[in-house]
Amino acid sequence: MTPPPALAIVLALLAASLMGTIGVFARFAALPAEHITFYRLLLGALFLMAYMLLTGKGPQIRHKPSKRTLINGAMLAGFMAFYIEAIEYTQMARVIMIIYLAPVLASLFAHFVFHERLNRFSIASVVLALMGFIFMLPVTSIQSLYDNEIMGYFYALLSLVTYSGFILINRKPSAASPYQSTLIQLSVGALCLLPLVLSTPLVPSLNQFAWLLAIGFLPGFLAILFAVKALGQLPSVTYGTLSYVEPVVVVALAWWLFNEALTAQQLTGMGLIIIAGMAQGWLSHRQLRLAYGAATKSNA
């Protein structure tokens, strides 16, 4: 049963807001990035599997996943682990805005590799996003940047690259249901991180495990469940636009809980990146709609 549009919008906003909590939970858990990401993916997969069993979707669990889904599980693990590692070195707000350059980077990659040509509006959104990225850089000396934050930007860029790969791989429709694809990606991501977790074994304290449980349930499972339900009713461009609530939530939580305030210049950069990302989503949706219309006419 698909939710009505108003409820779908609420679910999309809740999904984005819950996704924005991962950085806060990760800091309170105070564990290495690979451990936090492993538990988020593993617990998220277990919660999703339990949900599928309870809602009669149990038969969907056993299926043969595609190679693309398996690769995307590795991309998901990298994107999440690098994000959590990055916020150990620099502000959460800066990291999330770098990651949200992914739609623009994916469009550039598609232009040069898949020959999906950029039009002038797409080029304008790319330029806008790059301007926003420049504005997001801290106003400080090069030496200070190197000493305090270069590693944060390095891991943020790695997260950006893996998230862009995640977007590109998900561009093509899959024969599997959203629940099947999500379950496999979460499970594969956890398996990718398992060797790192075993190489540095840590037993979480009761307090840390409580935070890990929150990570696995809220951004790991509930946010994904809400996103899947919302995507079943909303156009992708609408959902993509609503998902930009996530960086706003991250910035607000970072300011409220950790006193990570952005300068006026950085807030301007954040706005430019959000506008560019939403514009890129709208353009991609429009191109797909035009391509579908052309294909329908040619088959008529």
Side-chain angles (χ1 to χ4, degrees):
M1 180 179 178
T2 56
L7 178 57
I9 291 174
V10 172
L11 290 176
L13 291 172
L14 286 173
S17 300
L18 289 171
M19 288 290 187
T21 63
I22 179 62
V24 173
F25 290 153
R27 285 194 173 175
F28 285 136
L31 286 167
E34 62 272 16
H35 286 255
I36 292 172
T37 309
F38 170 76
Y39 282 104
R40 178 189 182 183
L41 295 171
L42 176 63
L43 293 173
L46 292 176
F47 282 126
L48 180 58
M49 189 181 299
Y51 173 81
M52 292 175 71
L53 289 170
L54 291 172
T55 55
K57 298 179 177 64
Q60 295 184 25
I61 294 175
R62 294 187 62 182
H63 72 285
K64 184 179 180 180
S66 66
K67 292 181 180 178
R68 289 194 299 113
T69 305
L70 296 175
I71 295 171
N72 239 12
M75 291 289 181
L76 183 64
F79 143 60
M80 291 181 177
F82 292 139
Y83 167 56
I84 294 172
E85 190 69 29
I87 64 174
E88 295 297 319
Y89 294 94
T90 190
Q91 289 185 346
M92 286 166 46
R94 294 174 186 168
V95 174
I96 195 66
M97 292 318 305
I98 291 173
I99 293 172
Y100 263 79
L101 288 168
V104 177
L105 182 61
S107 68
L108 282 174
F109 186 88
H111 172 79
F112 290 107
V113 177
F114 299 149
H115 306 293
E116 297 179 6
R117 297 303 175 192
L118 295 173
N119 57 33
R120 59 183 179 178
F121 297 107
S122 297
I123 294 172
S125 71
V126 170
V127 173
L128 199 65
L130 292 177
M131 288 174 57
F133 174 70
I134 293 171
F135 282 149
M136 284 296 295
L137 293 174
V139 183
T140 183
S141 67
I142 296 177
Q143 184 62 36
S144 175
L145 176 62
Y146 177 80
D147 289 342
N148 298 318
E149 298 191 345
I150 195 67
M151 290 303 295
Y153 281 92
F154 172 71
Y155 284 115
L157 289 173
L158 288 179
S159 185
L160 166 63
V161 170
T162 48
Y163 186 40
S164 299
F166 182 83
I167 291 174
L168 286 167
I169 294 172
N170 269 335
R171 285 165 71 96
K172 293 184 179 180
S174 173
S177 72
Y179 292 104
Q180 289 174 319
S181 298
T182 302
L183 180 61
I184 293 300
Q185 289 172 15
L186 290 171
S187 302
V188 170
L191 286 174
C192 288
L193 291 167
L194 183 59
L196 295 176
V197 172
L198 293 177
S199 66
T200 56
L202 291 172
V203 179
S205 66
L206 188 61
N207 181 62
Q208 287 174 321
F209 187 75
W211 286 114
L212 292 174
L213 199 62
I215 288 171
F217 184 73
L218 294 174
F221 161 69
L222 203 58
I224 291 172
L225 176 63
F226 289 164
V228 169
K229 287 187 172 294
L231 282 166
Q233 182 72 8
L234 297 174
S236 58
V237 64
T238 303
Y239 182 84
T241 301
L242 294 172
S243 70
Y244 272 85
V245 168
E246 180 183 352
V248 176
V249 169
V250 171
V251 171
L253 290 175
W255 168 76
W256 181 37
L257 296 173
F258 306 115
N259 293 319
E260 292 185 0
L262 294 178
T263 65
Q265 175 182 311
Q266 290 171 334
L267 287 172
T268 301
M270 172 183 165
L272 292 176
I273 292 173
I274 290 175
I275 292 170
M278 291 192 296
Q280 189 58 48
W282 180 83
L283 291 169
S284 298
H285 177 74
R286 183 171 179 271
Q287 289 170 353
L288 288 172
R289 189 173 58 186
L290 291 174
Y292 176 78
T296 303
K297 287 183 180 179
S298 64
N299 292 330

